[in-house]
Amino acid sequence: MRSPETDSEHSESDSSGSSTDSQSSGLGGIRHQRRSTYRSDVFSLKAMAPRPNAGPGGWLCLLLPLAFSIRLLHAPPKCEEQSKMQWLLTVSAGGMALETLCFFIYAFVKTGILVKCLVSLLPGVAISLSLYVLVNTSAIFAVIVGFAMTSAYQQIYIYTLRGFARSFSYGEASVFVQGLVLFSISAIYRLGGFFCGDSWPTDEFETLNMIMVNALFWLLVFCLALVVFPSLRKPYRFYLWMLQLLLAVTCMPVTRPLPLLALIQFLLRDRDRLSILVFYLLLVVLTCVTVAWQIGSSSKANTRVRKIFHLLIVMVYVPGLVFECALLYLATGVALAAFVVLELLRLLKIPPFADRLADAFRSFKDEKDAGELALTPFCLLIGCSMPIWMTPCPCSGSDTLALLSGILAVGVGDTAASVVGSKLGRNKWGKSSRSLEGTIAFVVSILIAVWLLEITGLVAMTQAKWFATIFAALNSALVEAFTDQVDNLVLPLIFYTIVGLA
């Protein structure tokens, strides 16, 4: 990979970027770029707009396949019926990672046309063979799905880097698009199976999962419709379609009773569940007050202020995972949907909320939010939630430590490293801005947090789990010290993968 080529192009694009950012970023930028760029230029570096002041981060494309592969080793016995789905997701993630690596070769390395043709075909062939051998699908299905998936991933990946200019590094875009495609596969698999004759979900968690998957899938369809049909971005049409989407999500017959009634019954069934729900609502109010206070202060939030949200998310996830896992799982889906809707309102400048959301973005924006997309808050939510979303039957109580990976890495370790490093950091890691003191605080804080969880009986630890936790904390701390990628997204996946080995 010849990353120095990107530097000259970034400098060229930066000189004229101020006049074109409003046209080439966000949802509208995808269509603008598609009209203004020739198809033959689609693989060239000039067609890309990665996040400045960050390396390519190509190694990030391997994180999701590694995490899914590790989870196959520890699937709970009660989740055996989901084993085919887990194999499908693992093979798909591996194929998309291979597609990313081949894309880097295609775009960054000067090769002959024959080599480029072979490189282009390799991911589709690999996925097709894997589906046929490992997932036991038919040969025709394997070939169609294999090549369709790699082609779709490649197009979405390219247009993500071009449409959301300066928001992602190459590796961050790979993780984002992999997650998007894997969710789409899972949603189509579940919803397609249901509408083709599968039985109604009977288990409480399966019912909630079906409601969440259905809601997020149709929200994704709505986002795609906004890209394809610009007329939907007008305020009155946007709100009208949002209302129809809300009605479809709450009243579509994917559960028995209907989703809205099923949710009400779930929330009212347990008094402790209601108490935690009230606690969550209080935290939401506290978050809104914090944001309003920061906007009112007319100053940009510093690192310590932003870490308040890390502490708030710890207060959400720890009691949820320990006492009400199903409620937390549902809450993560609701929070993600809310983030997406708020971001749409801001990017599309839809009144009356757009101006206030833009003020909040400017106030809490950090150096990694170089583009129009509010990347950092999304990555904080996704990074903490990904262990729960990726684990089959997360509420079976089989591996609480793995489910806490995001909280331990980002909410505890990264927060401690930031606070201690900014206050006491004297010894820097080479050219990095991170300090040795902050790295030590990262590791020690995680070990203390796990020890407290063990002595209170909230997490069952073994010698192997302690060894894996120490190794995961050390590796995550070193990555946090040296990486220029978004650590809210990277650290949970690294911690989750290593802890999953125990």
Side-chain angles (χ1 to χ4, degrees):
M1 185 185 306
R2 298 185 293 123
S3 58
E5 290 183 15
T6 62
D7 295 336
S8 62
E9 289 170 5
H10 288 164
S11 62
E12 292 173 6
S13 61
D14 289 344
S15 62
S16 60
S18 59
S19 64
T20 58
D21 278 350
S22 62
Q23 293 179 331
S24 61
S25 59
L27 294 173
I30 295 177
R31 291 181 62 83
H32 172 80
Q33 294 273 358
R34 187 184 304 170
R35 289 192 298 266
S36 61
T37 305
Y38 290 105
R39 182 66 183 88
S40 60
D41 195 41
V42 73
F43 285 111
S44 71
L45 298 182
K46 293 182 180 179
M48 308 299 164
R51 181 162 59 86
N53 303 319
W59 57 277
L60 269 65
C61 71
L62 302 174
L63 292 179
L64 277 176
L66 287 174
F68 274 106
S69 300
I70 293 300
R71 293 321 303 171
L72 284 176
L73 303 176
H74 300 283
K78 63 181 297 184
C79 293
E80 289 181 355
E81 67 275 7
Q82 297 186 16
S83 60
K84 185 173 182 179
M85 186 66 215
Q86 290 299 309
W87 274 105
L88 177 61
L89 294 178
T90 304
V91 168
S92 301
M96 287 186 285
L98 180 60
E99 173 67 33
T100 307
L101 296 176
C102 291
F103 168 79
F104 289 159
I105 295 174
Y106 199 110
F108 289 89
V109 180
K110 292 182 179 180
T111 58
I113 186 64
L114 179 60
V115 175
K116 288 190 174 184
C117 290
L118 293 175
V119 167
S120 300
L121 292 174
L122 179 60
V125 173
I127 291 186
S128 300
L129 288 175
S130 299
L131 290 174
Y132 181 71
V133 175
L134 299 176
V135 191
N136 296 321
T137 64
S138 66
I140 296 177
F141 176 86
V143 171
I144 293 175
V145 171
F147 282 92
M149 184 188 304
T150 53
S151 177
Y153 169 79
Q154 181 190 85
Q155 295 300 318
I156 298 172
Y157 179 73
I158 292 171
Y159 291 130
T160 296
L161 284 168
R162 293 165 62 191
F164 295 101
R166 303 162 64 89
S167 293
F168 300 96
S169 70
Y170 291 103
E172 291 161 0
S174 175
V175 176
F176 174 79
V177 178
Q178 283 182 40
L180 201 63
V181 174
L182 291 175
F183 168 75
S184 300
I185 293 172
S186 177
I188 293 172
Y189 182 90
R190 290 186 58 84
L191 295 175
F194 173 77
F195 287 114
C196 288
D198 284 358
S199 59
W200 295 88
T202 55
D203 180 74
E204 182 177 76
F205 177 79
E206 287 300 315
T207 299
L208 295 178
N209 188 34
M210 178 64 79
I211 294 173
M212 190 178 88
V213 168
N214 181 61
L216 293 178
F217 177 76
W218 290 111
L219 179 59
L220 175 60
V221 172
F222 178 65
C223 293
L224 294 176
L226 288 172
V227 173
V228 177
F229 305 107
S231 61
L232 296 179
R233 302 172 198 170
K234 295 181 179 179
Y236 72 95
R237 291 185 179 178
F238 179 89
Y239 285 118
L240 178 62
W241 280 97
M242 281 299 303
L243 178 61
Q244 294 183 13
L245 176 65
L246 182 62
L247 291 175
V249 166
T250 55
C251 300
M252 184 175 290
V254 294
T255 60
R256 186 180 291 171
L258 293 177
L260 180 60
L261 297 177
L263 289 174
I264 294 175
Q265 292 178 5
F266 169 75
L267 295 175
L268 298 179
R269 192 174 295 135
D270 191 305
R271 182 173 298 178
D272 294 337
R273 187 175 296 155
L274 279 176
S275 300
I276 292 181
L277 179 61
V278 171
F279 176 66
Y280 283 175
L281 293 176
L282 290 175
L283 291 180
V284 171
V285 173
L286 180 60
T287 301
C288 295
V289 170
T290 303
V291 172
W293 171 80
Q294 182 61 43
I295 295 175
S297 66
S298 300
S299 62
K300 191 172 181 179
N302 56 32
T303 301
R304 288 190 293 274
V305 172
R306 286 195 293 268
K307 295 305 176 183
I308 292 175
F309 296 103
H310 289 229
L311 296 177
L312 289 173
I313 211 164
V314 170
M315 297 171 66
V316 169
Y317 278 73
V318 172
L321 280 174
V322 173
F323 301 109
E324 277 296 335
C325 178
L327 177 62
L328 176 65
Y329 184 84
L330 178 65
T332 60
V334 173
L336 180 61
F339 272 42
V340 171
V341 172
L342 292 175
E343 189 67 355
L344 289 174
L345 291 171
R346 185 182 68 85
L347 289 175
L348 300 178
K349 297 181 174 59
I350 295 180
F353 306 104
D355 292 340
R356 201 65 174 169
L357 292 171
D359 292 339
F361 174 67
R362 285 190 294 268
S363 181
F364 287 93
K365 181 178 181 180
D366 68 6
E367 66 277 3
K368 291 186 174 66
D369 294 315
E372 288 296 313
L373 190 66
L375 185 63
T376 303
F378 268 99
C379 288
L380 178 61
L381 174 63
I382 293 172
C384 292
S385 303
M386 208 176 299
I388 306 172
W389 296 340
M390 293 172 60
T391 303
C393 303
C395 296
S396 62
S398 58
D399 200 352
T400 305
L401 179 64
L403 299 179
L404 287 168
S405 296
I407 295 301
L408 292 172
V410 175
V412 177
D414 186 45
T415 302
S418 177
V419 173
V420 173
S422 61
K423 289 289 187 180
L424 305 175
R426 299 293 182 271
N427 303 292
K428 301 297 182 181
W429 285 102
K431 296 181 180 180
S432 173
S433 61
R434 312 299 169 85
S435 66
L436 175 62
E437 292 82 0
T439 302
I440 294 174
F442 187 105
V443 177
V444 172
S445 63
I446 288 179
L447 297 182
I448 292 176
V450 174
W451 175 70
L452 291 175
L453 290 171
E454 183 188 27
I455 64 174
T456 53
L458 300 180
V459 174
M461 297 294 293
T462 62
Q463 187 175 3
K465 285 187 176 182
W466 268 115
F467 180 81
T469 301
I470 295 172
F471 190 60
L474 288 171
N475 280 273
S476 300
L478 292 175
V479 170
E480 191 271 341
F482 290 102
T483 188
D484 54 7
Q485 308 298 304
V486 177
D487 46 15
N488 289 349
L489 186 66
V490 175
L491 299 182
L493 286 171
I494 294 174
F495 201 96
Y496 179 82
T497 301
I498 298 175
V499 167
L501 293 171

